[in-house]
Amino acid sequence: AILPPGTPEDQYKFAIGLVRQRAFGDAERAFREFLAIHGKDDLAPNAQYWLGETLYVRQMYDEAARAFLTVYQDYPNSDKATDSLLKLGITLTHLGQRNEACATFAELLRRLPTDERRLRPKAELERRNAGCS
């Protein structure tokens, strides 16, 4: 066990602290443990997203893609669903899966309101970078 005793919020903050320290292997273990214990908690979508990030930054793209897809599939109404679609598309681009990446970006752009200022420009840029038409 890597997580300290405490509330789900305390344990989530601990795992995020490991990300901030750039201890990505330990953060991965902490998020996996958090999800095993607290998979139904309100923080679970965030923990699943950050699990994907710990894998992505270490270029473990297959596992990262699965983690980001899990957010979208298991927590489709969470705040992290669209963020995860963006990262899934980027990750699929790294894996050379252009068609899947383009489909992911298309789904993301379909879900985003046209006036969305936070993700839309990044999604459109990454879509172009992937060579999507």
Side-chain angles (χ1 to χ4, degrees):
I2 190 170
L3 292 176
T7 66
E9 186 176 342
D10 293 337
Q11 292 177 336
Y12 176 82
K13 286 179 182 177
F14 174 82
I16 285 291
L18 293 171
V19 171
R20 289 188 181 118
Q21 295 169 28
R22 304 185 61 78
F24 298 118
D26 288 340
E28 175 194 350
R29 287 185 24 238
F31 286 122
R32 286 188 191 280
E33 186 178 330
F34 180 93
L35 290 162
I37 300 168
H38 307 293
K40 302 290 185 199
D41 190 87
D42 289 344
L43 290 169
N46 288 33
Q48 183 68 41
Y49 173 84
W50 284 104
L51 170 62
E53 286 287 357
T54 68
L55 298 162
Y56 179 85
V57 298
R58 292 179 293 150
Q59 299 179 353
M60 300 167 72
Y61 297 129
D62 285 323
E63 289 183 68
R66 282 191 292 279
F68 293 129
L69 181 60
T70 297
V71 177
Y72 183 66
Q73 290 177 331
D74 292 359
Y75 313 101
N77 298 318
S78 75
D79 292 342
K80 285 295 185 189
T82 51
D83 293 304
S84 292
L85 272 182
L86 175 62
K87 288 304 291 223
L88 175 59
I90 294 168
T91 304
L92 290 169
T93 301
H94 281 290
L95 288 168
Q97 297 178 16
R98 186 176 156 272
N99 291 340
E100 293 84 354
C102 292
T104 301
F105 291 129
E107 173 64 11
L108 172 59
L109 290 167
R110 185 189 67 73
R111 283 190 58 143
L112 290 174
T114 53
D115 64 345
E116 212 286 344
R117 292 190 175 106
R118 186 176 64 87
L119 284 183
R120 185 167 282 281
K122 178 74 171 161
E124 290 173 349
L125 173 66
E126 292 297 339
R127 185 177 167 277
R128 283 191 302 275
N129 288 346
C132 304
S133 55

